[in-house]
């Protein structure tokens, strides 16, 4: 009975989580504790630190279309997505897209490999590709772009610094990314 | 063939003794294994879709086959037991239709494959519990194997328990057994024997109802 009760509880959370993901009227992912930056509006500014230790901001990415991608290093889809990204980086680069992949602040409070280990092991030879920057998000940036604690969410920003497209898990949505990237090119 | 207080193995041989039940086992096992090949890579894609096959590996295929075989066994044993119970009730002139279902339902509830299936589903897809806490998602992300192991263990236990119940029914075969040999007799006919509390309800795999994470794309460009 206890097992059954626990299962019912978790399934309930599942459905509650699913309904929250579609609420808000604009397809916002995870609006339970806030809304994500909306398509068509300027991307909110925020800071992250690259693996080289350099402080950068979202505003500094203006001038070139950017895929701003938030990951948790312990998340399987983020690991699979990074490998998928490595395979597709040449296509994205040719379309003028730069990828900025940042670890969610404090890995959403859980323990996982460091972003450096994560990136080196999964990006392979593309780890040092200038069109792919790895970093660690500030707390404010994570709160702004991932209020619903998604493990694996990304934003395509156009060269004017506006949010152009939002989705999650590049491991399963790479075709959409490539399609949108062609529009942005 | 007559089996008296047979072992689990004997009961298994009896249950899988007919070509029809063998085919049923293979069919259910293959169908469920196929569904698991889509469900198990969920953590890598956060979605339930055919493209999940791109992320299958040998370990996930092995889990799929094991869980499919477990489910196939449980379902076939249940179908067998239901058939035996129905046969016995008919022989005893017992109630039919809804009354029959109502009469056997309580004894089925102990052994449905529903709980193991739910356990596997929750364990695999729990990583997609957004708007909760990172702690919950992390828990499911790092304990997937334990959930699958628990699901498989529950299926095995359910199958073994069901077989145990079947074997305790003493008279497994269509030929029945002599009066006095049967542990439980529900009718006047010496050939009508039953296992009134045997096994569990047949349940379809609910994986198809798995929540597919809503795509969060907004305003795809025209």
């Amino acid at each position: 009975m206890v097992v059954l009760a626990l299962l019912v509880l978790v399934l309930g959370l599942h459905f509650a989580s699913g309904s929250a993901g579609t609420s808000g009227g604009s397809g916002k992912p995870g609006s339970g504790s806030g809304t994500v930056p909306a398509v068509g509006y300027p991307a909110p500014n925020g800071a992250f630190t690259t693996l080289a230790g350099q402080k950068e901001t979202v505003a500094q990415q203006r001038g070139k279309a950017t895929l701003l991608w938030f990951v948790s290093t312990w998340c399987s889809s983020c690991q699979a997505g990074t490998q998928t990204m490595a395979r597709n980086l040449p296509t994205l680069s040719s379309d003028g897209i730069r990828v900025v992949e940042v670890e969610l602040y404090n890995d959403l409070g859980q323990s996982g490999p460091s972003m450096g280990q994560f990136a080196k092991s999964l990006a392979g030879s593309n780890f040092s590709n200038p069109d792919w920057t790895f970093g660690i998000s500030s707390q404010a940036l994570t709160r702004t772009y991932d209020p619903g604690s998604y493990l694996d969410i990304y934003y395509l920003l156009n060269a004017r610094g506006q949010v152009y497209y939002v989705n999650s898990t590049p491991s399963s949505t790479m075709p959409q990314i490539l399609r949108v990237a062609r529009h942005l090119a | 063939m007559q089996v008296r207080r047979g072992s689990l193995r004997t009961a298994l041989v009896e249950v899988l003794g007919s070509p029809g039940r063998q085919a049923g086992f293979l069919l259910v096992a293959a169908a469920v294994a196929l569904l698991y090949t889509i469900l198990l890579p969920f953590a890598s894609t956060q979605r339930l879709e055919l493209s999940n096959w791109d992320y299958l590996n040998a370990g996930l295929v092995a889990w799929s086959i094991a869980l499919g075989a477990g489910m196939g066994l449980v379902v076939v044993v249940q179908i067998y037991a239901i058939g035996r119970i129905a046969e016995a009730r008919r022989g005893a002139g017992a109630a039919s239709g809804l009354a029959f279902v109502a009469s056997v339902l309580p004894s089925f509830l102990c052994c449905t494959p529903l709980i193991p299936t739910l356990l596997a589903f929750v364990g695999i897809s729990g990583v997609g519990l957004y708007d909760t806490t990172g702690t919950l998602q992390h828990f499911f992300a790092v304990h997937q194997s334990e959930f699958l192991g628990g699901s498989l263990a529950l299926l095995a236990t359910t199958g073994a328990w069901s077989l145990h119940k079947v074997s305790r029914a003493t008279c497994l075969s269509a030929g029945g057994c002599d009066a006095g040999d049967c542990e439980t007799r529900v009718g006047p006919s010496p050939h009508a024997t039953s296992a009134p509390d045997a096994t569990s309800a047949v349940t379809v795999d609910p994986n198809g109802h798995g929540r597919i994470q809503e795509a969060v794309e907004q305003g795809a460009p025209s």
Side-chain angles (χ1 to χ4, degrees), chain A residues 153-164:
Chain A
I153 183 171
Y154 64 84
Y155 296 78
L156 255 172
L157 313 180
N158 63 21
R160 295 194 304 275
Q162 295 171 321
V163 177
Y164 194 73

Side-chain angles (χ1 to χ4, degrees), chain A residues 10 14 17 20 22 26-27 29-30 32 39 74 76-77 84 110-111 148-151 164 166-169 171-172 183, chain B residues 43-47 49 55 118 122 125-131 134-138 211 213-214 216-218 221-222:
Chain A
V10 173
H14 251 298
S17 171
T22 54
S26 57
V39 168
W74 46 265
S76 297
S77 68
T84 303
Q110 306 303 318
S111 61
S149 298
Y150 274 74
L151 306 181
Y164 194 73
V166 185
N167 209 332
S168 64
T169 48
S171 58
S172 58
H183 280 273
Chain B
S44 294
T45 63
Q46 307 278 320
R47 283 165 172 75
E49 53 192 25
Y55 295 93
L118 282 177
V122 166
S125 61
V127 73
L129 284 170
Y130 303 114
D131 286 330
T135 305
L136 204 52
Q137 296 175 66
H138 182 263
R211 182 177 72 78
Q213 181 204 338
E214 294 289 336
V216 292
E217 74 184 78
Q218 301 180 8
S222 57

Side-chain angles (χ1 to χ4, degrees), chain A residues 63-88:
Chain A
K64 188 169 185 180
T66 301
L67 178 70
L68 180 58
W69 180 18
F70 295 86
V71 298
S72 307
T73 63
W74 46 265
C75 133
S76 297
S77 68
C78 309
Q79 295 160 4
T82 302
Q83 291 174 312
T84 303
M85 190 63 72
R87 287 193 296 274
N88 289 277

Side-chain angles (χ1 to χ4, degrees), chain B residues 49-164:
Chain B
E49 53 192 25
L50 292 182
S51 61
N52 284 8
W53 285 335
D54 294 341
Y55 295 93
L56 272 179
N57 56 38
L60 295 183
V61 170
W63 274 117
S64 300
I65 292 172
L67 289 164
M71 181 70 81
L73 174 66
V74 170
V75 168
V76 167
V77 172
Q78 289 171 345
I79 289 173
Y80 172 86
I82 289 170
R84 298 294 296 157
I85 294 171
E87 189 179 300
R89 299 278 164 126
R90 270 199 305 275
S96 60
L98 279 177
F100 166 71
V101 172
S103 67
V104 298
L105 195 58
S107 60
F108 287 169
L109 291 178
C110 77
C111 310
T112 72
L114 184 65
I115 289 178
T117 304
L118 282 177
L119 189 66
F121 173 75
V122 166
I124 294 297
S125 61
V127 73
L129 284 170
Y130 303 114
D131 286 330
T132 51
T133 65
T135 305
L136 204 52
Q137 296 175 66
H138 182 263
F139 174 80
F140 286 107
V142 300
H143 290 102
Q144 175 174 314
S145 295
E146 286 90 329
F147 274 95
L148 289 179
S151 174
L152 188 58
L154 270 179
L155 273 178
T157 305
T158 300
W161 181 250
S162 301
L163 284 171
H164 172 68

